[in-house]
Each structure stands twice: as C-alpha cells, then as structure tokens.
Amino acid sequence: MARGKLRIYLGAAPGVGKTYAMLSEAHRRVERGTDVVVAFVEHHGRPRTEVMLHGLEQIQRRELEYRGTVFTEMDVDAVLERVPAVALVDELAHTNVPGSRHGKRWQDIEELLEAGIDVISTVNIQHLESLGDVVESITGVRQRETVPDEIVRRADQIELVDMSPQAIRRRMAHGNIYQPDKVDAALSNYFRPGNLTALRELALLWVADRVDEYLQEYRAEHSIRSTWQARERIAVGLTGGPEGRTLIRRAARMAAKGSGSEVLAVYIARSDGLTSASPKELAVQRTLVEDLGGTFHHVIGDDIPSALLDFARGVNATQIVLGSSRRKAWQYIFGPGVGATVARESGPDLDVHIVTHDEVAKGRGLPVARGARLGRTRIIAGWLVGVVGPVLLSLLLTGIGNGPGLANDVLLFLFLTVVAALLGGQLPALASAAAGSLLLNFYFTPPTHTLTVSDPKNIVAIVIFFAVAVSVASVVDLAARRTHQAARLRAESEILSFLAGSVLRGETTLDALLERVRETFGMETVALLERAGDVEPWTCAGRAGSDHGTPLLRPEDADVDMPVGDHMALALTGRVLPAEDRRVLAAFAAQAAVVLDRQRLVGEAERARALAEGNRIRTALLAAVSHDLRTPLAGIKASVTSLRSDDVAWSPEDEAELLAGIEAGADRLDHLVGNLLDMSRLQTGTVTPLIRETDLDEVVPMALGGVPEDSVTLDIPEELPIVAVDPGLLERAVANLVENAVKYSPDGAMVLVSASALGDRVELRIADRGPGVPDSAKDRIFEPFQRYGDAPRGAGVGLGLAVARGFAEAIGGTLAAEDTPGGGMTMVLTLRAVPGGPQVLPDLPAQATT
C-alpha cells in the first residue's frame, strides 16, 4: 500500500487562521468528490472556525480519563476503520493524554500515513524543536509541546499561513482568537508587536529554506550545474553535560540556513574505562540530534582537542560548535580549556563557534567514574611542592638572619606537606615529609649542618612533624579513594539501570548493545561469539567496531573475554580491562545473551506466523479444490458422458447445450486456476511489473471481456492524465474487480466503471448495487479465500479481490472498498499519474505555498 501524503499549514503565530485554511481546503476537496473526514479539529470556541466544520463528516473522538478528568483525543482506530481518502488532524505538536496509543499526535499521523490515508494538519512555527530556545528568548515562554523538524520537513506540501502583526492584534481585539477576558493579557504579553514580528520572520526564513531545497531538487533533476554551493557540515562537541541540548539546537538552526547542511554531534571519551558522562544525558542528546536530522558519534581519545579536530577533518566538517567552558575562573590555571585550544589549532579551514549557555562557569558537576583519581597535572604539581618546595623553603629560611624559630620552621614545612598531599596524594606527601624532616635536622636543629640532634625536644618535634605529615597524606589519599569508589559505583549504577531499562523495553538491538559496550569501555572491537558444542567452531552472532587486521574468531584471540554460559562469550579487543571493570562487563554480557535470545524468538515467531498463514492457505486451497474445482469438473464429465452415450439420440439443440455447458465449465476452471496461479506468484514475490506510460481508456475496455456487454457502464474521460502502470497487471486487476461487481449486482443493475483525476493521482471506481459489505468486513474481503457471507452466487475460491489488491500494490497503486451512495460497494483503485502530464489541479487558497 502506498504511503499517504502529508500537507501541513504552518502558522507564523497562534490565530493567523491555520485551522480555517485547512477546513477551507477540506470543503474544496469535498466539492470535487474527495472522501474527507475530520479526525480531530479544535475550534477553541472561535465561531468562524466552528461554522467551517458544518458539512464535514466528523469521526467521534475517543474519551480518556486521566486524574479524575475526562479528555478527548483522536480515535486512530476509528479513522483506520473508516479509511477515508483525506483526514484532517489539527495541532501536529499536540501531546496526547496518557493512555493513548502514542505519546504525540504526530506519531498518530504517521500511522495514518502508513495506512495510505492522506493527512492535512497544522502547526505553529514556535512548536518546531530546533527553534525552542529562540522562541523562548523572544517571547519568554518555553514551548512544552514540540515536534521534530524532520517530521515537518518530510511533508509533501507545506503552506505558510501568514498575517501582519497589526492584523493579528486587530483579530485579537475583536475577540476572534481568545475570549474577551483574556484579550488584554495576551496583547500585553505574548502578542506584542515585537514578538509577532520576530515569529513571522522565523516562519518566513524557515519556509524560505524549504523553497531553497525544492530549488536544489529542481536543479538536480534538470542537470543545471552553472553554480556550485559548498555543503556545510557542522560538528558539535559534547561533554555529556546539560548544555549539550542547547548546542545541538543551535547547530541545527545553523544547518537550516543552508540546504543540504549536516549536523554531526560527537562525544569524545577517554580510553581509561567507564565513560565520564551521564549515560542518561548522552542518551537524551543522542535522541535529540537524531530527531533534528543529525547523527551522533562516539569517539575515544585522551587528548580531547586533538581528537575533536581529527574527527572534524575526517568528516570534512566546515564548522565546529562548542559550548563556553563550565569551569570556574580559578580552574583556568590548569590550562586554557578545550574551546580555546580548538579555536587556536583549527586553522583556516574550520570555523569555531563558542556558544554561551546557562551552565557557564558553574563547574562541571558531572557524575564521573574515574575522575576522582588525581590527574597527571596535579600529581606533577604535588611532587614539585613535596620535593622542590622544602629545598626552596630551606634556602629562604637560611637566608633570613636568626629566622622565625624551630617551631615556626616546622609549621612551614608541615604546610608544604599538606599542600603536596592535597595536590598529588600520598606519595608526594610522604616524600615531602621525609625531605622536610631531613632539612629541618640538617639546617635548623642544633648542631646545624649535621644529622645529629643534641636536644631531645627537637627530636620529638621532628618525629611529630613526620607523623602528622604521614597522617595527613593517608587521610587525603583515603578520601580520594572513597570518592573514586562512590563516583564509580554511581556511574556503574546509572549505566546498568539505563541498560536494563532499555533492554526490558525492547529498545536495544544486539548491534546497538555491543556498540554501547565498545563506547563504555573504550575498546576497538566487541563481538558476541557462540558455538553449538564444546568441540564446535566459534561463530560470530554480532559485532561492533573494526578488526584492524586479524578477524576476531575465538575468545582466546581477544584482549578480554567474558564467558556467558557454556557456549557463548563476549570478546573485546583494544586493551586489557582492570578487574573492577569486569563486574559491569559481566552484566553487559548477560544482557547481550538476553537480547540475542529475544531476537531469535522474534524471528521464530515470524516464521511460525508465516507457517501458520501457509497452513491456512493450504487448508483453504484444499477446500477450494475439493468443492469449487470439482463442481465444474463434474459438470464437464456429465456433459461428455451424455454426448458419448449411444442410448440417447440427442437433437442438435441438446448437443449445443451440452457443448455450451462443457465450454462454461472449462472457462470457470481456467479462471479459478488462473487466480490460484496469480495468488501463488504474489505469495512467493515473483511478480515483476513492467511499468510504462499507459492510457486507461486503452486498458479498461480490454478488461471487460469476461462479463456480459450490457452489464457495465463505462465512463473514462479522454483528458485523463497518463498513468505509470504495468498494463497486463492492471488489466487483470480491473477484470477481477469488474467480474466481482457483476457477480454480486442484482439482475438488471448496471456496474459503473468511472475514472477521475485528483492532483498527481488517478482514481478508477467500480461501483455496484449489490448488498454491500459492512465497514468491519471491508478489510477481510481482500484476504485470500474469503467470500463474504459465502453467498450462493459465489462461483469462485475467494481469490479475485486478493489478487486484484496484490497486483494494484505491485504497480504502485492502492485498492480500497467504499460504500456506494444509495446502496452497494465501490472499489477504488488509485494509480500514479505520470509527472509532467496533463493534470487536473485543485484550486488553492491565496497563501504562500512551498
């Protein structure tokens, strides 16, 4: 079944008339004979909009109770059962009430489109996901209901509904938008002239970008290459912090300025174990960038600026978007930061954008796994303070005449030891304590310049100094270890909880899970290996990463292997993991086995369903052979036996009647066998259509050869557009439809075969005056071996309509059943018109259309 078409009325601001324009278009289509229903339209108490609903069929809404209040939402099942040609669905960005089939209305619309139903919807510019930050800065209101830009961009047609700010405010003042008691507040807040002007500019720019895309498509189709525009690729550097969402949206808006631009979000993790960012936040940012049409990348690298620049140049990026540093002012003593380094080393081929956000200078504040360990810079500083510091302090104190005294000298050396412990941990502090005690003994304890101590009090002072220094170093190191353990456990719990939740919800495939393992532990390759028995060879059930040479065929070839049961193992290459990481790795391995089993069970369930369907078809085929095929054979045999009989002298009239019976039985057998063969071809996927340009008035008359001449009325206008079909398959489909209609029509009632054009489609309608089919059975009549009601006039195995729909879908069309006005059933065969041919275009409103 062909996917339906989506048309969106995009409003520059609330109240510009999107819903009114949508309803006007619906009335125009109804006047042209299109089957249009109102699936969900909210008139918000606006009388002019409410009047436009009159004369349109409305689908009853579904009632849902939530927190003691009854809400109404679109009834998706009712719309799918009704199967209209066009459905009106207002407010594309609406969030459905909990308990609905989908969380967002645009997801409901996607289901309708997949069912072949055309949808007309509305949305305001402020509801686009990428413009959330901009709209909030203009209006001061954060839009909670948003729709991914990609959903709107995929629409087949976008129509801008625009109005000047002065006209909107006049409509507001006249009470055409809000109730009178809300007008003053709205005019002084959201509907200020500046706000409306800015929103209007946003809408015009967004639609202009769409026009540019259409122009590029036109140029490509017509091979116009007189000018060349470079393609912008924007790399967004993420840290896993909350500012990442702002950076992604900003980059998406930058990409929207030029057609064909790409957004590539990249997170660079260090190769020392578990990721240092929040898995939940990274998952949210991954989803956001994919919703905005970009891609997410995970890169391993210890030098963040170099890795980011290498990635940007590797993907031919033209711009890099980074956030302002979250470090506090004093933290700049450890270096200039990633943003400044990237900007300095980017060169002339890369533009670097530093974007401000709400987390600037608030500190990193990220849950870390190994970040509590002292970095290389701090360890070096600790050793310098612990070893060089006492020497410099000794030189300083010896250069001062009598000096501050031994007690003060001890305190000063103890201060250096504490600083060394805070910076570098236990070992630099112990070195500082040892060096300080020796220097105190040599330079400041009588007799000086010797290692002997004459006064026992001085010995006690030096011993106490050393003991205090060692104690401080031990406490600092213990605190660092405890902090590291707590942070690591926190990171592990976040990773495992997120992993378990996604696996239980069925959101993670095996390849995605193995990629998550590779990203988490910073490995090159991750593979899930299995074998049937102890002596059987290993096979790869799933893989992530690259081999870089020797393929990973056995757990023994990997740097790390984690057994999962007796005949399965998770193998990783890249580096050797510490023992503390294997606990998390074991959880990943167990989840990988669960995901693999689930995928196989799903595959087995699909195969079981296919076998069940095959058994059902075989059973129905046996029933058809035992009855429908035997009946004409029995008639043929009886007629032949009678003709060969020597006991009866048949008159010429009797012989002619018997021969006519034989011919009718043979024709019936030929028709039944032909349908069985056609159904077999459709079931096995061996139907290969030869699409070419065809006139309906050439094919349809040829399909009427199997029915009496006075049973069909043909109405095929000559000005119809040419359709792109396989003439042979189309003829067989139409023949089956017409024969079915004639078979169920009352005696003397004519079957009407008519055609009409609608935009880029051509509809062929076969209408009968038979008993009709209720809505609940309209889909079942297209299933194989189905004869609704098992009517006694049914001279077939119930394959005609199934074959017709199969051939219609094979040539890119659709086939649906509708009620015939006045009684009966109409089969609607929709075909694609050839682009560029004569078409009957609908009247469009005087509004900007893209």
Side-chain angles (χ1 to χ4, degrees):
M1 178 178 295
R3 177 182 170 88
K5 295 185 179 298
L6 175 61
R7 180 174 183 171
I8 294 178
Y9 286 89
L10 177 66
V16 296
K18 305 180 304 301
T19 305
Y20 189 93
M22 177 178 67
L23 294 174
S24 299
E25 174 64 16
H27 281 285
R28 283 190 289 271
R29 296 198 180 196
V30 169
E31 292 173 0
R32 295 195 300 268
T34 306
D35 183 17
V36 180
V37 300
V38 177
F40 189 99
V41 169
E42 188 62 66
H43 56 75
H44 297 290
R46 299 166 185 169
R48 295 186 178 181
T49 304
E50 186 176 2
V51 169
M52 293 296 294
L53 288 171
H54 296 169
L56 297 176
E57 178 185 350
Q58 300 187 45
I59 302 294
Q60 186 175 359
R61 301 181 184 181
R62 180 186 179 191
E63 294 185 353
L64 296 170
E65 184 176 357
Y66 180 64
R67 294 184 177 178
T69 305
V70 177
F71 298 89
T72 60
E73 294 287 2
M74 179 175 65
D75 193 338
V76 180
D77 291 328
V79 180
L80 293 175
E81 184 177 354
R82 170 64 175 76
V83 196
V86 180
L88 307 183
V89 185
D90 207 2
E91 299 178 355
L92 179 67
H94 172 75
T95 301
N96 293 331
V97 175
S100 302
R101 184 199 297 260
H102 301 111
K104 301 289 289 187
R105 184 163 294 164
W106 63 263
Q107 295 171 323
D108 296 336
I109 292 176
E110 283 290 312
E111 186 171 354
L112 298 182
L113 294 173
E114 290 297 332
I117 300 173
D118 292 350
V119 177
I120 304 178
S121 187
T122 64
V123 70
N124 281 332
I125 191 68
Q126 68 264 25
H127 294 295
L128 297 182
E129 177 67 54
S130 67
L131 300 178
D133 293 343
V134 177
V135 173
E136 183 180 8
S137 65
I138 294 172
T139 64
V141 178
R142 182 67 180 185
Q143 298 295 330
R144 297 184 179 180
E145 294 186 333
T146 59
V147 59
D149 292 40
E150 187 64 19
I151 301 300
V152 183
R153 286 184 177 276
R154 286 207 307 262
D156 299 279
Q157 187 174 3
I158 299 175
E159 186 165 335
L160 177 64
V161 184
D162 188 23
M163 185 177 291
S164 67
Q166 294 76 14
I168 297 177
R169 288 173 61 84
R170 281 196 302 270
R171 292 193 64 195
M172 177 71 68
H174 294 161
N176 294 331
I177 300 178
Y178 291 158
Q179 297 298 324
D181 57 338
K182 299 180 180 179
V183 170
D184 291 338
L187 288 175
S188 59
N189 291 284
Y190 194 93
F191 287 81
R192 295 195 301 268
N195 290 358
L196 297 176
T197 302
L199 292 175
R200 189 186 191 193
E201 182 180 14
L202 280 178
L204 292 172
L205 289 174
W206 199 89
V207 174
D209 290 339
R210 287 283 294 168
V211 174
D212 192 42
E213 291 178 10
Y214 288 139
L215 179 60
Q216 292 293 340
E217 293 176 3
Y218 177 84
R219 291 165 59 85
E221 292 174 357
H222 294 77
S223 301
I224 301 175
R225 306 180 184 277
S226 57
T227 60
W228 175 262
Q229 180 179 354
R231 185 180 184 183
E232 294 288 347
R233 308 193 79 183
I234 304 173
V236 186
L238 303 179
T239 65
E243 79 284 355
R245 306 182 199 182
T246 302
L247 302 184
I248 292 172
R249 293 191 182 99
R250 182 71 179 92
R253 293 197 299 272
M254 293 171 58
K257 298 298 183 183
S259 60
S261 299
E262 284 188 77
V263 175
L264 303 95
V266 55
Y267 171 72
I268 300 175
R270 298 186 183 276
S271 60
D272 59 349
L274 297 176
T275 177
S276 61
S278 168
K280 293 181 180 179
E281 184 62 32
L282 280 179
V284 170
Q285 294 176 14
R286 180 195 295 264
T287 303
L288 176 60
V289 71
E290 291 174 352
D291 286 343
L292 295 177
T295 56
F296 185 91
H297 304 267
H298 192 286
V299 177
I300 306 299
D302 291 323
D303 190 341
I304 305 298
S306 297
L308 179 58
L309 289 171
D310 290 341
F311 171 82
R313 294 190 175 103
V315 298
N316 294 322
T318 58
Q319 302 180 56
I320 297 178
V321 175
L322 299 173
S324 297
S325 178
R326 286 182 284 113
R327 296 191 299 176
K328 296 183 181 296
W330 62 270
Q331 292 177 313
Y332 282 95
I333 62 175
F334 299 112
V338 174
T341 304
V342 170
R344 185 181 65 247
E345 300 178 359
S346 61
D349 57 332
L350 281 172
D351 295 335
V352 180
H353 304 266
I354 305 297
V355 178
T356 59
H357 49 82
D358 294 336
E359 304 297 323
V360 175
K362 291 185 178 180
R364 298 191 64 85
L366 290 175
V368 295
R370 297 179 180 268
R373 289 181 176 178
L374 301 175
R376 182 175 59 182
T377 303
R378 289 187 58 181
I379 292 176
I380 294 175
W383 279 103
L384 290 176
V385 173
V387 176
V388 180
V391 175
L392 296 178
L393 180 60
S394 299
L395 295 176
L396 177 63
L397 294 177
T398 54
I400 302 175
N402 296 327
L406 182 61
N408 292 326
D409 294 339
V410 170
L411 291 176
L412 291 174
F413 277 94
L414 182 60
F415 172 75
L416 288 178
T417 302
V418 172
V419 173
L422 293 174
L423 290 176
Q426 188 175 27
L427 292 179
L430 292 177
S432 177
S437 60
L438 291 176
L439 292 172
L440 282 171
N441 186 2
F442 190 81
Y443 286 105
F444 306 105
T445 304
T448 58
H449 299 94
T450 64
L451 295 178
T452 59
V453 181
S454 59
D455 190 348
K457 295 180 180 180
N458 294 335
I459 297 178
V460 173
I462 294 176
V463 170
I464 292 175
F465 161 75
F466 187 79
V468 170
V470 171
S471 300
V472 169
S474 300
V475 169
V476 171
D477 184 71
L478 181 62
R481 290 178 183 274
R482 293 291 183 266
T483 303
H484 163 65
Q485 292 174 359
R488 179 180 179 81
L489 291 175
R490 178 182 176 185
E492 288 181 4
S493 64
E494 284 192 358
I495 291 173
L496 294 178
S497 63
F498 179 78
L499 170 67
S502 61
V503 172
L504 291 175
R505 292 189 298 269
E507 299 173 353
T508 303
T509 63
L510 181 60
D511 292 339
L513 180 62
L514 296 180
E515 181 63 24
R516 180 64 56 84
V517 175
R518 189 186 71 84
E519 294 176 357
T520 300
F521 295 98
M523 308 301 286
E524 294 180 356
T525 306
V526 177
L528 184 63
L529 306 178
E530 62 175 349
R531 58 181 177 180
D534 294 335
V535 296
E536 298 294 330
W538 290 93
T539 59
C540 181
R543 181 188 303 273
S546 56
D547 289 325
H548 295 296
T550 305
L552 190 57
L553 301 178
R554 300 181 304 165
E556 295 82 5
D557 299 333
D559 296 319
V560 181
D561 68 284
M562 176 59 64
V564 187
D566 296 331
H567 303 118
M568 187 177 294
L570 190 65
L572 303 89
T573 61
R575 63 189 180 86
V576 178
L577 290 181
E580 56 188 357
D581 282 348
R582 295 185 67 86
R583 177 177 55 189
V584 181
L585 183 61
F588 272 108
Q591 294 287 17
V594 170
V595 172
L596 180 61
D597 289 341
R598 175 185 293 164
Q599 289 184 354
R600 288 176 174 172
L601 288 175
V602 170
E604 291 177 0
E606 292 293 337
R607 288 191 292 272
R609 279 193 290 269
L611 290 175
E613 178 66 17
N615 289 333
R616 188 186 70 80
I617 293 177
R618 280 192 292 271
T619 302
L621 179 59
L622 289 175
V625 170
S626 64
H627 178 268
D628 295 283
L629 294 181
R630 290 181 63 184
T631 300
L633 283 175
I636 292 174
K637 184 175 181 181
S639 299
V640 171
T641 303
S642 299
L643 288 173
R644 296 185 61 186
S645 175
D646 297 332
D647 300 336
V648 180
W650 303 102
S651 65
E653 293 80 8
D654 292 334
E655 290 183 356
E657 183 177 354
L658 291 173
L659 291 173
I662 294 174
E663 184 179 12
D667 290 340
R668 182 177 172 186
L669 278 177
D670 180 70
H671 181 73
L672 293 176
V673 172
N675 275 336
L676 287 172
L677 292 176
D678 289 339
M679 198 67 228
S680 175
R681 293 168 60 201
L682 290 171
Q683 292 285 342
T684 57
T686 57
V687 176
T688 305
L690 301 176
I691 304 297
R692 64 183 181 85
E693 298 181 2
T694 306
D695 283 327
L696 281 182
D697 54 4
E698 297 178 359
V699 177
V700 175
M702 299 175 61
L704 307 182
V707 297
E709 295 182 0
D710 58 349
S711 61
V712 178
T713 300
L714 195 59
D715 181 16
I716 307 294
E718 295 182 357
E719 65 272 10
L720 279 178
I722 296 175
V723 293
V725 297
D726 182 316
L729 296 183
L730 176 61
E731 180 183 344
R732 294 294 301 275
V734 175
N736 281 356
L737 295 175
V738 172
E739 290 175 6
N740 183 79
V742 171
K743 181 169 55 179
Y744 286 98
S745 291
D747 293 335
M750 302 285 287
V751 172
L752 175 61
V753 179
S754 61
S756 60
L758 181 61
D760 59 349
R761 294 169 297 159
V762 174
E763 289 186 350
L764 183 67
R765 293 176 173 266
I766 298 94
D768 63 56
R769 292 296 179 180
V773 175
D775 292 340
S776 59
K778 280 187 170 64
D779 285 336
R780 292 202 305 273
I781 62 176
F782 293 103
E783 296 179 2
F785 304 106
Q786 295 293 321
R787 289 180 296 179
Y788 178 73
D790 203 18
R793 295 182 62 193
V797 294
L799 286 177
L801 295 182
V803 170
R805 172 172 275 190
F807 283 168
E809 294 177 351
I811 60 179
T814 61
L815 178 61
E818 297 180 357
D819 293 331
T820 301
M825 186 171 65
T826 299
M827 292 293 174
V828 182
L829 178 60
T830 304
L831 305 171
R832 296 174 299 174
V834 176
Q839 297 184 8
V840 179
L841 298 176
D843 295 331
L844 297 177
Q847 294 162 335
T849 304
T850 65

